[in-house]
Amino acid sequence: MRGWVSNSEQQAVPDALVFGDSVVHPAVTNAEGYFELSGLPVRGEVKVIAVHPTEPLFAGTVLDPD
């Protein structure tokens, strides 16, 4: 899965950690806020959560890859 993490003002968030269901190692967003997360289940709903180690950012969504 590829995606983009932004703040409430639609600005890119670099260095955020992105976790997904059953993913052992999180992805880290690059300087433009983009990430690539592998190892997600291919069926059913998947929860994806982004957190930042130093900024007050916590966001999540549920996706259906089918």
Side-chain angles (χ1 to χ4, degrees):
M1 172 184 159
R2 293 180 184 155
W4 184 64
V5 176
S6 65
N7 63 18
S8 62
E9 291 144 10
Q10 296 300 306
Q11 297 170 327
V13 177
D15 302 320
L17 303 174
V18 182
F19 298 88
D21 284 345
S22 69
V23 173
V24 176
H25 301 287
V28 179
T29 57
N30 65 16
E32 291 83 35
Y34 290 99
F35 68 91
E36 186 170 331
L37 188 61
S38 59
L40 294 169
V42 294
R43 294 222 150 115
E45 292 182 339
V46 177
K47 294 177 188 168
V48 179
I49 297 170
V51 296
H52 196 276
T54 61
E55 300 292 326
L57 166 72
F58 178 87
T61 190
V62 176
L63 304 171
D64 189 347
D66 291 335

